[in-house]
Amino acid sequence: MLVYKYRSGTEDDLKAIESNQFWSSSIGQLNDPCEAITDTKRVKKLLTYLGQKFGARTEDDYDLINDNTDDVLSMDNKMGIYALSKTPKDELLWAHYANSHKGFCIGYDLDILLESDGEDHVHYYPVTYARKPPSIGILDIARNKQSKMIKKFAFYKSRRWQYEKELRIVTSKQGLNSYYHTALKSIYFGLNMTESDKNRIKELLKGRTVDYYQIELEKNSYKFKTVKLESEGYTEPTYLRQLTIALTKDKEVEFEILKNKIRNHAGIGEFKVLLKQELNKTELSVLIEHLKKNLFKDGNILFLAFFKDRHNMDKLPWAYAEIKEQKTDIQINTEP
């Protein structure tokens, strides 16, 4: 399934697509002040009743019950939210979030994005638009079903926002999150985007398998249409497949990422890489730095296993690298 993110075209926006990252906002950073509002009247009423049974007497006692209930139910400081849309052609979203049509829109493969936070650490739902906030009851707490609680906190908005047709990813990490580069499928250029800005994006994403589209107005209509742009001088993709190593007389290194696992919540990445030719330790070091920058730029710990034969992936790798605290340990296994 394809999902879309409208961007204004700032330097941070460009750095993010170049580095295969997206920004997961806290509740407070979103532009709707009513985010995460829930109706907790029922659960507070029950807890007040229980407080009476177990010794609550003064106004301060009941204030403490209410305040602590809010703290327990609040998930504001635990979630990161990445808001997406179902369409790249919404005129209001272009106006509000893409710098009055001077920006661009990213098309993502949702399934690949959802793999970027590890199992059970990312949630995804379309937003439900309602007349009033969802109600939190005592059974929501007693059953301790985190996904249901998160859905009520993060996936409900006022009906006034219904035009956005929003879908959301909720991550366990706020701020920059990394994803595997193949999640980025397409870029849509706004009606008023300059040719120089378009060319800059194409240059940043050079060597990748990315489709480019131009947003245009349909004739005699308020509706938008997308026009696919022809590739100029198409060549086989080289991004994360080929690297020129200047240190060794511009040697062309070809490789293939056969397995990737990104866990943003833990800052850990695991990758298996097939090498198409023999490398010495210096060349391998250059390749490792290139992979760290492009596979998981903000990862805390990276494990890279290098193989020379795709049919021996279940055996001991030819070389192994561990990157931890900005230090890289490389082990090359001596073949018998």
Side-chain angles (χ1 to χ4, degrees):
M1 177 182 178
L2 292 177
V3 291
Y4 303 92
K5 183 67 175 180
Y6 293 80
R7 297 282 72 190
S8 61
T10 65
E11 287 299 316
D12 285 341
D13 293 333
L14 299 178
K15 288 178 183 177
I17 60 171
E18 183 183 19
S19 302
N20 307 312
Q21 295 177 307
F22 65 82
W23 183 271
S24 195
S25 301
S26 66
I27 291 290
Q29 291 171 327
L30 299 175
N31 62 349
D32 180 5
C34 299
E35 292 284 358
I37 290 178
T38 54
D39 183 354
T40 59
K41 291 194 296 289
R42 287 189 300 164
V43 69
K44 285 182 178 179
K45 185 176 181 180
L46 177 58
L47 290 174
T48 298
Y49 170 77
L50 292 175
Q52 291 173 343
K53 295 296 183 183
F54 290 98
R57 294 289 182 269
T58 68
E59 185 175 339
D60 287 342
D61 291 336
Y62 294 116
D63 286 343
L64 183 63
I65 290 172
N66 283 328
D67 292 343
N68 286 342
T69 302
D70 287 334
D71 287 342
V72 170
L73 294 176
S74 175
M75 305 182 80
D76 293 9
N77 297 322
K78 301 175 184 178
M79 299 185 300
I81 292 178
Y82 193 45
L84 300 156
S85 178
K86 298 177 183 178
T87 175
K89 298 188 292 183
D90 188 281
E91 55 266 36
L92 289 177
L93 294 180
W94 276 106
H96 294 167
Y97 301 110
N99 192 17
S100 299
H101 307 265
K102 300 184 189 73
F104 61 95
C105 180
I106 308 167
Y108 290 116
D109 183 314
L110 177 63
D111 292 331
I112 299 176
L113 279 186
L114 294 178
E115 293 171 359
S116 66
D117 210 11
E119 294 180 2
D120 301 324
H121 286 275
V122 65
H123 301 270
Y124 154 76
Y125 297 103
V127 169
T128 297
Y129 299 97
R131 288 184 294 105
K132 57 184 181 179
S135 176
I136 300 291
I138 194 67
L139 289 180
D140 291 319
I141 300 172
R143 289 169 180 160
N144 195 27
K145 290 189 176 180
Q146 187 186 47
S147 61
K148 188 173 182 180
M149 292 280 283
I150 288 176
K151 189 173 182 180
K152 288 190 175 183
F153 276 100
F155 295 95
Y156 276 79
K157 293 187 71 170
S158 163
R159 283 185 178 176
R160 296 295 298 272
W161 294 87
Q162 196 164 1
Y163 72 92
E164 290 192 342
K165 303 172 186 175
E166 187 178 345
L167 308 95
R168 285 184 170 183
I169 293 175
V170 170
T171 63
S172 59
K173 178 191 172 189
Q174 296 176 5
L176 286 173
N177 282 255
S178 294
Y179 57 84
Y180 193 56
H181 69 99
T182 56
L184 197 161
K185 296 297 185 186
S186 52
I187 297 289
Y188 297 78
F189 299 131
L191 277 165
N192 299 323
M193 194 176 196
T194 66
E195 289 300 318
S196 61
D197 286 343
K198 296 175 191 178
N199 290 333
R200 186 175 178 193
I201 288 178
K202 290 179 181 179
E203 186 63 29
L204 287 175
L205 301 180
K206 190 175 181 179
R208 305 197 193 197
T209 307
V210 177
D211 292 324
Y212 295 98
Y213 296 85
Q214 179 62 55
I215 295 294
E216 295 182 0
L217 273 171
E218 291 187 5
K219 190 175 182 179
N220 301 320
S221 172
Y222 292 128
K223 293 182 179 179
F224 290 162
K225 64 180 180 179
T226 61
V227 178
K228 189 172 183 179
L229 303 179
E230 294 296 326
S231 300
E232 299 175 7
Y234 174 80
T235 58
E236 286 295 320
T238 57
Y239 182 72
L240 284 176
R241 299 184 188 187
Q242 192 178 93
L243 176 67
T244 300
I245 300 182
L247 293 176
T248 52
K249 298 180 180 179
D250 293 336
K251 180 176 181 177
E252 291 287 345
V253 175
E254 293 186 349
F255 57 93
E256 184 179 352
I257 311 298
L258 296 182
K259 183 178 180 181
N260 74 91
K261 191 170 187 179
I262 295 172
R263 296 189 290 251
N264 278 301
H265 69 285
I268 297 175
E270 299 177 52
F271 307 94
K272 288 185 177 182
V273 184
L274 177 66
L275 298 174
K276 304 295 180 69
Q277 68 268 74
E278 187 85 19
L279 301 180
N280 61 39
K281 197 165 184 177
T282 299
E283 294 166 342
L284 186 59
S285 298
V286 175
L287 176 59
I288 288 168
E289 286 302 309
H290 176 73
L291 293 175
K292 180 186 186 304
K293 178 183 176 182
N294 291 279
L295 285 173
F296 197 0
K297 185 175 182 179
D298 58 342
N300 298 320
I301 303 174
L302 271 65
F303 301 101
L304 296 162
F306 296 91
F307 297 84
K308 295 191 292 184
D309 185 348
R310 70 170 62 246
H311 301 295
N312 292 326
M313 300 291 289
D314 57 342
K315 297 182 180 179
L316 191 69
W318 166 73
Y320 184 82
E322 178 181 325
I323 304 171
K324 186 177 182 181
E325 296 178 352
Q326 304 302 315
K327 296 180 180 178
T328 302
D329 178 34
I330 301 174
Q331 300 290 333
I332 298 178
N333 298 315
T334 303
E335 296 183 356

